[in-house]
Amino acid sequence: MYGRSSPGAHFGEKLIAMTELAVNVRGLRKRYGDVTAVDDLDLGIDRGEVFGILGPNGAGKSTTVEILQGHRSRDAGEVTVLGSDPATGNRHWRSRIGIVWQDESAPAELTVQETVSHFASYYPKPRDPEEVISLVGLEEKASSRIKALSGGQRRRLDVALGVIGGPELLLLDEPTTGFDPGARRRFWELIRRLADEGTTIVLTTHYLEEAEVLSDRLAVIAAGKVVAEGTPAGLREEYGTQATVTWTERDGAPRSEQTATPTRTVAELTRRFDGEIPGLLISRPTLEDVYLRLTGQEAAR
């Protein structure tokens, strides 16, 4: 009865491994002197999910990511990343995780090609360096020394170093800071490709459009706590304010009305104008509106 496991038991173990959370955080706390950076924070991130973390400066985003990386200790709470506690993660565990730091981490005297190839040697199953250089749009700079790159190009190199190991989990802390719009779009394509390949991605960003485009789910953090969590559409629906209907009166004066029933308002205006409504515009709450409201910055907009 207690001998070798049956084939069914092995299937059950495999199913559990496939469905366990990539990141499981419960009651996380971190203080710096009298300042509480992370305050009883809970997060559950599924394998293969792109999970965005939003919050103002000082909200605890970077501290949380550093704890997930195993590069910062915690004061309390339980943290599991890819089945292990980051505080005791070994070399094999670290090889399964890619990291894009806020600060540059590459040696200035090496070329792009030399740097990416050198970092590839750290991992048991790296991606092809030339492929990764192309993915981040640096193929024309492959032979350039890092000190000769622009700030945005250096940031793209940081992304290349984060993905070169073919990580199961990719932690991105403000990855597109300094990117021009074209480079940012190219980065989004890279993230979609990695997600399609099954990589779990945790992203912190101040770019609300980026968070909405890339994330399956989002957590909004304020004062070290998760104040809201859900899909971008779900957050807009749950925490958004009323829609705004704007139109132009017959005398040319602009009018607007906030309403929870914009379709009814438009129907009433259609009858009143007997057809087309001049200057009609219906705007619904954006993710930015929701974010500012949840983090207490709505009034300062």
Side-chain angles (χ1 to χ4, degrees), residues 149-162:
L149 301 180
S150 68
Q153 290 167 344
R154 292 188 187 192
R155 197 65 184 138
R156 280 188 257 173
L157 177 61
D158 288 336
V159 173
L161 300 183

Side-chain angles (χ1 to χ4, degrees), residues 15-299:
L15 183 62
I16 291 172
M18 290 173 62
T19 56
E20 74 173 355
L21 294 174
V23 175
N24 192 6
V25 177
R26 294 293 175 264
L28 179 62
R29 292 179 183 271
K30 178 64 181 179
R31 291 179 60 86
Y32 300 103
D34 295 332
V35 177
T36 300
V38 182
D39 187 9
D40 199 26
L41 183 141
D42 293 342
L43 282 178
I45 301 173
D46 294 327
R47 289 183 181 269
E49 184 173 34
V50 180
F51 192 91
I53 300 177
L54 304 178
N57 291 332
K61 305 186 305 298
S62 293
T63 295
T64 299
V65 171
E66 288 171 355
I67 291 171
L68 298 183
Q69 296 167 355
H71 290 285
R72 191 169 296 280
S73 63
R74 62 185 186 268
D75 296 327
E78 298 180 0
V79 181
T80 303
V81 176
L82 298 182
S84 298
D85 186 335
T88 57
N90 58 23
R91 184 174 180 179
H92 172 70
W93 175 82
R94 293 184 185 280
S95 73
R96 299 162 63 198
I97 297 174
I99 302 169
V100 177
W101 307 92
Q102 280 196 28
D103 299 322
E104 298 173 9
S105 56
E109 295 299 327
L110 296 181
T111 67
V112 169
Q113 180 71 51
E114 290 169 342
T115 302
V116 177
S117 297
H118 178 68
F119 273 69
S121 68
Y122 295 158
Y123 298 94
K125 296 180 180 180
R127 300 180 76 111
D128 177 66
E130 290 187 5
E131 175 205 22
V132 170
I133 290 171
S134 178
L135 282 174
V136 299
L138 288 177
E139 57 268 43
E140 294 183 0
K141 295 291 183 179
S143 60
S144 298
R145 295 188 185 277
I146 294 171
K147 64 182 181 182
L149 301 180
S150 68
Q153 290 167 344
R154 292 188 187 192
R155 197 65 184 138
R156 280 188 257 173
L157 177 61
D158 288 336
V159 173
L161 300 183
V163 305
I164 187 63
E168 295 176 44
L169 172 65
L170 181 60
L171 301 172
L172 303 171
D173 196 7
E174 305 289 350
T176 60
T177 300
F179 279 28
D180 60 50
R184 182 168 291 115
R185 297 282 175 166
R186 193 161 184 170
F187 170 79
W188 293 358
E189 293 172 3
L190 171 60
I191 294 305
R192 291 190 187 100
R193 174 172 174 174
L194 293 172
D196 289 342
E197 293 173 356
T199 306
T200 305
I201 298 168
V202 180
L203 167 75
T204 76
T205 180
H206 284 297
Y207 298 108
L208 277 296
E209 181 188 8
E210 181 167 274
E212 185 159 17
V213 167
L214 295 178
S215 302
D216 299 311
R217 287 191 302 131
L218 294 165
V220 180
I221 297 178
K225 295 178 178 290
V226 174
V227 295
E229 184 177 335
T231 65
L235 291 175
R236 287 198 309 271
E237 182 175 347
E238 183 173 357
Y239 297 100
T241 55
Q242 297 178 325
T244 301
V245 179
T246 303
W247 70 96
T248 303
E249 288 289 356
R250 289 189 174 89
D251 61 2
R255 286 283 305 277
S256 65
E257 178 180 321
Q258 286 197 331
T259 174
T261 56
T263 303
R264 182 181 301 171
T265 300
V266 171
E268 293 171 354
L269 288 170
T270 301
R271 289 191 294 270
R272 184 149 68 84
F273 282 93
D274 193 24
E276 288 295 316
I277 307 166
L280 177 64
L281 177 66
I282 302 173
S283 57
R284 298 182 182 274
T286 65
L287 183 61
E288 181 178 352
D289 294 326
V290 170
Y291 168 76
L292 293 174
R293 182 181 180 191
L294 287 168
T295 56
Q297 303 175 82
E298 190 174 36

